Amino acid sequence: MAKKLKNEMSFLDHLEELRWLLVRSTLAIIVMSTLVYFVSDYIFDTIIFGPTHPDFITYRFFCNVSNYLNFAENICITELPFTIQNTSMEGQVNVFVWTCITAGFILSFPFILWELWKFISPALYQNEKKNAKLFISVASILFFLGVLFGYFVIVPMSINFVATFRVSDIVKNEFNLESYIGMIKTAVIASGLFFELPIIIYFLTKLGLVTPAFLRSSRKYAIVILLILAAIVTPPDVISQISVAIPMLLIYEASIFISAFVIKKEKKNEQLSQ
């Protein structure tokens, strides 16, 4: 029997397709997580705990910038006064497993995007279906850029802030391992997904749920929100806050441009079809 066309499929058929999308994506994450297992020593010693060292590349970069600008008080980091400890019997096992799964998700993200594209492509026009490679490439690049931004900017700035903040000299910072790893995972994944905003805006504009006018009118609120977020995750110095806020604002402005481009293209297609 010939296979049903997706636009002729019932609701239950679509649910079946979605189920297999989730199954294949889960298998991809498991495969990549297994590969991560074999380089777990490097993942933990060099990547995960890299920002705990004062000579981490981000700290050195901002130190050089502050020296170059001749700040009266530079932001060079000579020590990070905290220790990381495990306080539960299964703590290190749980951290190890979930770190491998998180890394597996990040590495398999392009495949997950491909599966998602295959699921939604029947609802697109024929000329839009040809943009599969472009969609996967752009979305993957944005996600990985977001992950790098989270790791090299947000994570070290957050660590520096919480490590040096004290309510009293009596209190010593001894961070729980799961809390430390959780902060890194949240910052990295959240940044990666935030950098997908232009892609999300593209599809929301195609669906008529978002317009450039709405995004422009909401710009002032977006700026305030992003500045607040930047102030929360960074130390109380201008350079750090600007370094976090500017890329986020650029992503928002890019989303406005993409939304306007979609609207303009649709109007042009309507005129050609008349």
Side-chain angles (χ1 to χ4, degrees), residues 190-261:
S191 296
L193 295 179
F194 179 79
F195 271 57
E196 294 294 306
L197 183 62
I199 302 295
I200 296 172
I201 293 298
Y202 172 84
F203 285 104
L204 291 179
T205 304
K206 294 287 291 184
L207 294 173
L209 300 177
V210 170
T211 63
F214 171 77
L215 294 174
R216 291 190 185 100
S217 63
S218 303
R219 180 187 281 120
K220 56 185 178 182
Y221 303 109
I223 292 175
V224 171
I225 293 173
L226 293 177
L227 289 176
I228 292 174
L229 290 175
I232 290 174
V233 302
T234 61
D237 64 81
V238 177
I239 291 181
S240 301
Q241 293 172 5
I242 292 177
S243 299
V244 172
I246 286 180
M248 292 183 172
L249 292 173
L250 291 177
I251 290 293
Y252 187 82
E253 292 298 324
S255 300
I256 297 177
F257 174 80
I258 289 174
S259 180
F261 174 79

Side-chain angles (χ1 to χ4, degrees), residues 25-270:
S25 298
T26 302
L27 289 175
I29 294 174
I30 292 174
V31 170
M32 298 308 296
S33 300
T34 303
L35 295 178
V36 169
Y37 166 80
F38 294 104
V39 292
S40 57
D41 290 341
Y42 177 81
I43 294 292
F44 280 95
D45 295 338
T46 303
I47 297 179
I48 299 295
F49 295 115
T52 64
H53 303 298
D55 61 346
F56 187 64
I57 184 172
T58 302
Y59 304 137
R60 288 189 281 113
F61 171 78
F62 283 106
C63 177
N64 293 334
V65 170
S66 65
N67 288 330
Y68 178 79
L69 296 177
N70 295 320
F71 279 2
E73 241 181 76
N74 61 38
I75 55 175
C76 294
I77 297 174
T78 57
E79 65 172 339
L80 292 169
F82 72 92
T83 58
I84 300 176
Q85 60 179 346
N86 177 49
T87 58
S88 60
M89 292 183 62
E90 71 282 1
Q92 295 199 52
V93 175
N94 290 337
V95 163
F96 181 84
V97 171
W98 282 107
T99 299
C100 288
I101 292 175
T102 302
F105 168 76
I106 293 173
L107 295 175
S108 60
F109 193 75
F111 178 81
I112 296 174
L113 286 175
W114 172 249
E115 288 292 327
L116 182 62
W117 178 267
K118 289 195 299 182
F119 181 75
I120 65 175
S121 60
L124 302 176
Y125 294 110
Q126 191 62 36
N127 61 331
E128 294 173 330
K129 295 179 182 180
K130 299 177 182 178
N131 296 326
K133 291 182 179 179
L134 179 62
F135 167 77
I136 302 299
S137 300
V138 173
S140 298
I141 290 173
L142 287 174
F143 178 76
F144 289 131
L145 285 176
V147 168
L148 292 175
F149 177 75
Y151 176 73
F152 284 107
V153 179
I154 294 181
V155 167
M157 292 301 168
S158 300
I159 291 176
N160 179 35
F161 176 71
V162 298
T164 55
F165 181 84
R166 291 185 181 183
V167 295
S168 172
D169 291 336
I170 298 176
V171 182
K172 295 183 179 180
N173 285 324
E174 297 179 349
F175 301 143
N176 182 271
L177 175 63
E178 293 181 349
S179 175
Y180 174 81
I181 299 293
M183 182 273 295
I184 293 180
K185 289 191 296 185
T186 300
V188 168
I189 298 298
S191 296
L193 295 179
F194 179 79
F195 271 57
E196 294 294 306
L197 183 62
I199 302 295
I200 296 172
I201 293 298
Y202 172 84
F203 285 104
L204 291 179
T205 304
K206 294 287 291 184
L207 294 173
L209 300 177
V210 170
T211 63
F214 171 77
L215 294 174
R216 291 190 185 100
S217 63
S218 303
R219 180 187 281 120
K220 56 185 178 182
Y221 303 109
I223 292 175
V224 171
I225 293 173
L226 293 177
L227 289 176
I228 292 174
L229 290 175
I232 290 174
V233 302
T234 61
D237 64 81
V238 177
I239 291 181
S240 301
Q241 293 172 5
I242 292 177
S243 299
V244 172
I246 286 180
M248 292 183 172
L249 292 173
L250 291 177
I251 290 293
Y252 187 82
E253 292 298 324
S255 300
I256 297 177
F257 174 80
I258 289 174
S259 180
F261 174 79
V262 172
I263 295 295
K264 182 178 179 180
K265 188 175 181 180
E266 288 186 346
K267 288 182 177 179
K268 184 177 180 181
N269 291 335
E270 290 177 1

